[in-house]
Amino acid sequence: MTLDDPALDTLMLPFEQKLLPWPDAGTLFLRAREGAALHRRPRTGLVCEQSFKPDADALQRAGLALVEPGDEHRYPLVLLLPPRQREEARALYARAVASAAPGGRVVACLGNNEGARSGEDDLRKLAGPVGSLTKHKCRAFWTAPLHQAGSAAKIDVALLAQWQALDASRPIADGRFTSRPGVFAWNRIDPASALLAAQLPADLSGRAADLGAGFGYLSVELLQRCPGIAALDLYEAEARALDLARHNLAPFESQAVLGFHWHDVTTGLPERYDVIVSNPPFHTQGRADRPDIGRRFIAVAAEALKPGGRLWLVANRHLPYEEVLNASFGSVRTVAQQDGFKIIEAVKALPARPERAPKPFNKAATLRDHGR
């Protein structure tokens, strides 16, 4: 259980302090996270929506119910931990308001250094007056009862429709890819990934995997540059990005066998590969630096590669990956360093050949062999 989550703790405070009632008829929690605050007292009717695999897995392990994205049921209470990306967050505020039943409320929370004030202003613009409290360097804020005659809530219907469309998929990179707000490098080609793609050798072949595939940029480049790739599995923890990758890789279905996996790479991989490419994450969704995630990606890649298999990796130059690379692979070389990034090729060692035991000395045979 995650014990240190100030935003989640603060989100629950209006109910713990009895400023707001907890309904019996059902609560939807968007971008839900598991944490101790959810278990201090019964949370009747709570269902959670989470597209990020590690968080979804943690919620399920805690016994909390998950609903599929796009659930159209309306709830007496909608909770929200908004993401950092502004367009995605506004689309989620609109989704939360639209998902509230008549008389229902929306309650959200953000860290003070993650846009709490602007988030509160956004909800106010959309739904009218809000209440709020601050604690743990976070701010929780909530609407008046929604969709109800006589309520102080005043939903801006035009703004609601406008914000609901903010998260729509759209073409980027001169139409080469489709993306949407909130996924990694959503509106551009990430320069680190582009540098890695430019260094990929054409002789990569066999079965390949892309770890942390995002909307599919590296996978597309790998298939275009390396005709010997016969099969490619994309592993991505964010379901919203994986849906985009399916769309972006559709033109390559006749070139290679494609697999799309909503998967937390840090838990290991189920298959073995000749080639792995990766631009591994090195921070959490809250943007805290986590180089241990990148190190784990490297260790998992080493476990999943066949002997002689090759990992092609890009990372920020300062990240301390060399120790795990040298410990996990037979050979490691830095292929390029540019614009603060490093491109590394690591090759998994071949199994050691067993030493052949010397034949026992046979004097008679030796003399015979020499004609004596």
Side-chain angles (χ1 to χ4, degrees):
M1 182 183 298
T2 301
L3 297 177
D4 184 19
D5 192 333
L8 179 60
D9 291 343
T10 307
L11 181 70
M12 292 294 110
L13 274 183
F15 308 101
E16 294 177 3
Q17 296 181 0
K18 301 191 182 305
L19 299 174
L20 297 174
W22 186 273
D24 293 328
T27 296
L28 174 64
F29 190 176
L30 299 174
R31 280 291 183 185
R33 294 197 295 264
E34 159 61 350
L38 293 181
H39 304 278
R40 292 190 184 114
R41 59 197 61 188
R43 303 295 180 191
T44 307
L46 176 64
V47 297
C48 303
E49 182 183 299
Q50 177 55 260
S51 59
F52 185 59
K53 183 64 169 172
D55 287 342
D57 287 346
L59 291 163
Q60 285 193 309
R61 286 194 297 269
L64 296 167
L66 291 179
V67 294
E68 293 293 324
D71 172 36
E72 295 184 356
H73 185 72
R74 298 181 74 184
Y75 296 84
L77 175 64
V78 182
L79 305 175
L80 173 60
L81 291 173
R84 291 176 64 93
Q85 209 284 330
R86 191 74 179 275
E87 291 177 275
E88 183 194 2
R90 284 180 162 177
L92 273 173
Y93 287 130
R95 164 94 186 282
V97 168
S99 297
R105 296 179 187 265
V106 172
V107 184
C109 186
L110 279 164
N112 292 340
N113 62 352
E114 294 183 347
R117 286 282 189 184
S118 59
E120 183 180 358
D121 288 343
D122 279 348
L123 188 58
R124 183 182 295 110
K125 290 174 186 175
L126 190 63
V130 297
S132 67
L133 64 77
T134 59
K135 188 79 172 180
H136 309 305
K137 298 183 180 178
C138 297
R139 177 178 291 266
F141 43 96
W142 56 88
T143 67
L146 299 166
H147 314 293
Q148 180 175 277
S151 170
K154 303 296 181 185
I155 297 174
D156 187 327
V157 177
L159 191 63
L160 182 71
Q162 179 184 331
W163 284 9
Q164 284 176 321
L166 287 178
D167 192 30
S169 300
R170 64 202 71 178
I172 65 164
D174 297 324
R176 284 190 66 205
F177 298 94
T178 296
S179 187
R180 67 191 299 189
V183 304
F184 173 68
W186 80 270
N187 60 351
R188 67 191 190 282
I189 301 304
D190 174 62
S193 295
L195 182 61
L196 174 57
Q199 298 293 330
L200 293 175
D203 67 345
L204 295 176
S205 62
R207 187 173 187 183
D210 182 353
L211 308 188
F215 61 72
Y217 168 76
L218 266 180
S219 291
V220 167
E221 291 287 338
L222 181 67
L223 292 173
Q224 289 181 329
R225 295 168 183 268
C226 307
I229 298 297
L232 174 60
D233 286 332
L234 288 77
Y235 292 92
E236 172 55 46
E238 177 51 65
R240 300 167 69 253
L242 193 64
D243 289 341
L244 295 165
R246 286 190 181 94
H247 176 84
N248 290 326
L249 271 292
F252 299 90
E253 290 177 346
S254 62
Q255 177 178 333
V257 178
L258 302 177
F260 300 89
H261 307 277
W262 186 43
H263 185 74
D264 177 3
V265 169
T266 66
T267 64
L269 300 180
E271 304 293 342
R272 294 294 173 262
Y273 296 98
D274 302 291
V275 175
I276 291 178
V277 298
S278 186
N279 179 0
F282 61 93
H283 52 68
T284 64
Q285 288 198 315
R287 313 306 293 180
D289 280 352
R290 288 283 305 277
D292 59 298
I293 298 176
R295 287 194 291 265
R296 179 59 184 155
F297 266 55
I298 292 167
V300 166
E303 293 166 0
L305 281 167
K306 300 173 185 177
R310 299 154 77 182
L311 168 66
W312 280 79
L313 171 85
V314 63
N316 286 44
R317 191 180 297 175
H318 72 278
L319 290 172
Y321 290 162
E322 279 68 23
E323 183 176 353
V324 66
L325 283 163
N326 291 326
S328 304
F329 289 89
S331 66
V332 178
R333 69 185 181 102
T334 300
V335 177
Q337 296 191 65
Q338 182 178 319
D339 301 326
F341 304 114
K342 54 189 174 186
I343 306 299
I344 294 170
E345 182 194 34
V347 181
K348 188 167 182 176
L350 296 171
R353 281 181 153 184
E355 292 188 11
R356 297 177 64 182
K359 292 182 179 179
F361 179 72
N362 186 320
K363 182 177 180 180
T366 301
L367 291 172
R368 185 171 59 250
D369 291 344
H370 286 81
R372 298 169 68 181

